[in-house]
Amino acid sequence: MSVVVDIALLAFLAVTAFAVMKQRNLFAVAMLSGIYSLLCAALYTMLDAVDVAFTEAAVGAGISTVLVLGTLALVGHKAKKPARPRLLPLFVVLITGGVMVYGTLDMPPFGNADNPAHQHVAPRYIEKSEEETDVPNIVTSVLASYRGYDTMGETNVIFTALVGVLLLIATGEQSRRIWSADERNGGVFEESSEPVEDGHG
Amino acid sequence: MDDRVILRVGSKILIPFILLFALYVQFHGDFGPGGGFQAGVIFAAAFILYALVFGLGAAKAVLPPIVVHTCAAVGVMIYAGTGVVTLLLGGKFLDYNVLAHNAAHGQEWGIFSVETGVLVTVFGVMVAIFYAFAGRRRAEP
């Protein structure tokens, strides 16, 4: 049964990817990307990685789609048709894909208990997590306790992403002050100096 | 804006449940799928839905940008602060065992604390990035 579902989901993934490739209307592309993420989330669920599936559905299908739509409201939603068919990108994609498939040939069989991933620290987490942390969900105990440093790094990465976005495209009270200073020096940012109050919704 | 009654009423009904679901995901993360990352995103999604339906101005009145920017920084501080507290209590950095009278309880408290930090940061960052994107005016060609 699960094989049938897997094949169906992967077929839908391929169809969605081709649709994204052929589509020139970027609104449709944004929606299709959301569908692609949702299908990925379903695949993760099939692989019993429910925490990853949850994140993919919330971030990939939810927030990312909204952010892409917000960007499209700024830059327009028509992609230019390329003047001539470009063969170099196709060539690069085919080579990269071929190398990745070649790489998977060496991988140990999926779900095998003897795989290296299941040999090192995983058995200890599975055996001791309950008694050491009193948290039944091992994903949570690994994420927040055994690998607490990594998660702190990730939290910092998310924070840094915000700092980057704000430095690049922020509007609002603080940036208006900065920009009005720029205007006095020649008005480089004059166009964007007033924040829009009611968004694109 | 005013004629979209179904959107407005529908989102008004949905938003409290989205917020509640985010809290469920946060506090149920010890037992089932979920945790700070997912809960933060869902919590942010409720406010983003509000901004999409009622306009960015209304959303910023409910949740001013200064608050979300502060949230983004405070979450990281909660996480790192947990580590500092364990240091002060005589353990290693982020060694939760020292947080309570026995090790397993300490772990529970530590995990709760850092997950809260993650929730607050992710919520703040997601809403702030949305504000940043939605607040820009379209450049005239």
Side-chain angles (χ1 to χ4, degrees):
Chain A
M1 182 60 207
S2 76
V3 176
V4 179
V5 178
D6 278 345
I7 290 172
L9 285 174
L10 288 169
F12 277 131
L13 266 189
V15 170
T16 315
F18 273 106
V20 167
M21 210 166 64
K22 296 303 286 179
Q23 188 60 250
R24 294 268 156 238
N25 185 336
L26 293 179
F27 274 127
V29 170
M31 285 303 156
L32 286 167
S33 309
I35 292 171
Y36 191 91
S37 286
L38 212 55
L39 288 167
C40 283
L43 271 175
Y44 293 141
T45 314
M46 292 303 294
L47 293 169
D48 284 337
V50 277
D51 281 86
V52 184
F54 207 158
T55 313
E56 179 69 39
V59 178
I63 300 276
S64 299
T65 309
V66 172
L67 290 182
V68 170
L69 288 177
T71 313
L72 290 182
L74 299 173
V75 299
H77 62 274
K78 280 283 175 200
K80 279 192 205 124
K81 208 173 169 57
R84 55 192 167 79
R86 274 174 282 178
L87 288 178
L88 182 66
L90 181 67
F91 187 67
V92 170
V93 167
L94 284 179
I95 295 285
T96 315
V99 168
M100 287 169 93
V101 171
Y102 178 73
T104 60
L105 295 180
D106 267 352
M107 276 175 56
F110 171 73
N112 192 342
D114 296 332
N115 288 353
H118 304 311
Q119 295 300 318
H120 185 44
V121 288
R124 187 181 179 286
Y125 293 159
I126 293 168
E127 283 161 16
K128 296 279 183 128
S129 167
E130 177 85 51
E131 80 181 68
E132 279 184 346
T133 65
D134 225 2
V135 168
N137 184 1
I138 299 175
V139 175
T140 300
S141 70
V142 170
L143 188 106
S145 181
Y146 292 113
R147 298 280 168 198
Y149 284 12
D150 294 13
T151 309
M152 195 177 107
E154 284 168 31
T155 315
N156 275 298
V157 166
I158 295 174
F159 178 70
T160 313
L162 172 67
V163 174
V165 167
L166 289 183
L167 284 174
L168 284 171
I169 65 166
T171 58
E173 300 309 312
Q174 302 97 326
S175 49
R176 183 159 45 179
R177 276 204 301 277
I178 298 167
W179 282 341
S180 54
D182 273 321
E183 274 170 53
R184 269 181 262 122
N185 300 333
V188 186
F189 292 106
E190 199 175 8
E191 269 189 349
S192 322
S193 59
E194 288 169 23
V196 176
E197 287 305 319
D198 59 351
H200 58 79
Chain B
M1 182 67 69
D2 289 323
D3 54 339
R4 297 180 304 173
V5 177
I6 294 176
L7 263 184
R8 294 165 71 93
V9 175
S11 55
K12 265 185 193 171
I13 295 171
L14 273 178
I15 284 169
F17 289 106
I18 297 175
L19 293 173
L20 196 64
F21 181 61
L23 293 177
Y24 167 78
V25 169
Q26 168 78 11
F27 296 115
H28 205 255
D30 291 1
F31 310 101
F37 281 98
Q38 293 92 335
V41 171
I42 296 169
F43 212 80
F47 287 94
I48 290 174
L49 174 65
Y50 186 78
L52 287 175
V53 174
F54 295 93
L56 193 61
K60 281 186 174 173
V62 175
L63 195 67
I66 185 76
V67 173
V68 291
H69 294 167
T70 312
C71 274
V74 164
V76 177
M77 275 178 65
I78 293 175
Y79 201 126
T82 309
V84 174
V85 168
T86 58
L87 275 183
L88 293 177
L89 289 173
K92 298 178 185 127
F93 189 69
L94 290 177
D95 172 16
Y96 310 136
N97 286 353
V98 295
L99 286 175
H101 53 279
N102 73 29
H105 256 99
Q107 289 286 336
E108 234 177 335
W109 277 109
I111 289 173
F112 175 81
S113 173
V114 299
E115 290 275 14
T116 308
V118 172
L119 167 86
V120 173
T121 288
V122 171
F123 162 70
V125 168
M126 291 299 163
V127 177
I129 290 180
F130 173 77
Y131 280 175
F133 273 88
R136 272 185 75 87
R137 197 169 55 172
R138 184 170 182 171
E140 300 303 324

